[in-house]
């Protein structure tokens, strides 16, 4: 993934954004957070308010098999635990991993916004304003233990992953490679992108891997629909900022995470499911023939042919 220093808003919107490819922006003015946000400072700043966290006995978290548990801790206790490798106090094992993905007050209705959930910390952050204020969707505060790896998934909105402290490796795949990623909803079943089970996932070798390492102060632009797999190489704090680049009415009103498919896409998939159900009325030979014709029709009508 390309790294570019000191990119202005104008250059980003003119040269980088239209290409719809991930890029790491360096040297941006992010505020005092990059120097201030030590584990000690974070603990003091937001004190003992309760936070809901993921706790995992293994480094690779799997959203599909749910190999983690949700627990609640006071924020300062959570930060101290996430920063240590071996725990004296723990829920599952003494080397369990912790992960906070901030949420709104009511998860079903409210989006994550650092200004509301962590107002004191929000004052330390300057979010790069490379989009219009009314496009803003959410700002998600994240803290993870060293070694924690998140499942591969896509989001339906553009976002900046701002690495405030610590080091993160991000592996990305183009939306074009969706056929090789064994999807279940917005998530890939291939958890271990470094040593995939190729007997189970033979097509995965066809997916082109993009990779970058984010140091403190780096900002990764992740275009909507790009798959990403994030590994925290060190204890670290990050902030994701999502914004709407489609008309506001395209998005699902009940979406608080920024990962529900656009309304038209959901409707199209429902219609397709009904069409496939209708095909079941035919004998296998006919079903196969007409299904192939439908695939060709979709390719002709809806596929882009200008992918680089």
């Amino acid at each position: 993934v390309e790294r570019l220093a000191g990119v202005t808003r104008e250059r980003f919107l003119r040269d980088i954004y239209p290409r719809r490819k991930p890029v790491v922006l360096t040297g941006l003015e992010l505020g005092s957070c990059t120097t201030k946000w030590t584990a000690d400072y974070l603990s003091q700043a937001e004190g003992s308010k309760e936070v809901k966290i993921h706790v995992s006995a293994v480094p690779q978290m799997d959203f599909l098999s749910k190999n983690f548990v949700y627990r609640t801790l006071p924020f300062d206790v959570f930060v101290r635990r996430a920063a240590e490798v071996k725990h004296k106090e723990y829920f599952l094992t003494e080397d369990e991993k912790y992960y906070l993905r901030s949420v709104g007050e009511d998860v079903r209705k409210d989006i994550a916004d650092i200004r509301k959930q962590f107002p004191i910390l929000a004052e330390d952050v300057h979010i790069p304003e490379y989009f219009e204020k009314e496009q803003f969707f959410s700002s998600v505060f994240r803290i993870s233990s060293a070694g924690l790896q998140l499942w591969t998934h896509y989001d339906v909105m553009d976002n900046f992953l701002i690495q405030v402290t610590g080091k993160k490796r991000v592996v990305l795949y183009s939306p074009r490679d969706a056929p090789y990623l064994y999807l279940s909803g917005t998530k890939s079943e291939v958890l271990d992108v470094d040593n995939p089970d190729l007997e189970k996932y033979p097509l995965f070798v066809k997916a082109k891997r993009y990779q970058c390492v984010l140091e403190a102060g780096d900002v990764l632009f992740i275009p909507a629909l790009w798959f990403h797999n994030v590994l925290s190489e060190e204890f670290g704090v990050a902030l994701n900022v999502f914004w709407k680049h489609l008309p506001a009415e395209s998005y699902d009103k009940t979406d608080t995470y920024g990962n529900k498919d656009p309304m038209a896409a959901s409707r199209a998939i429902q219609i397709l499911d009904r069409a496939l159900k209708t095909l079941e009325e035919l004998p296998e030979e006919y079903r196969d023939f007409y299904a192939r014709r439908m695939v060709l029709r979709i390719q002709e009508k809806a596929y882009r042919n200008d992918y680089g």
Side-chain angles (χ1 to χ4, degrees), residues 60 63 136 140 146 276 279 299 303:
Q60 283 177 333
F63 194 81
F136 171 84
V140 181
L276 292 169
L279 277 188
Q299 285 177 335
Y303 275 28

Side-chain angles (χ1 to χ4, degrees), residues 7-16 130:
V7 173
T8 60
R9 175 187 166 130
E10 292 68 35
R11 185 180 164 211
F12 177 76
L13 292 174
R14 184 188 68 229
D15 302 334
I16 298 163
Y130 286 20

Side-chain angles (χ1 to χ4, degrees), residues 205-235:
V205 290
K206 294 187 175 189
K208 183 182 174 185
R209 176 182 176 129
Y210 294 77
Q211 185 172 313
C212 61
V213 173
L214 300 181
E215 306 278 354
D218 287 348
V219 176
L220 172 62
F221 168 53
I222 307 177
L225 309 183
W226 273 76
F227 295 87
H228 42 289
N229 176 290
V230 180
L231 168 66
S232 295
E233 296 189 352
E234 301 168 345
F235 163 74

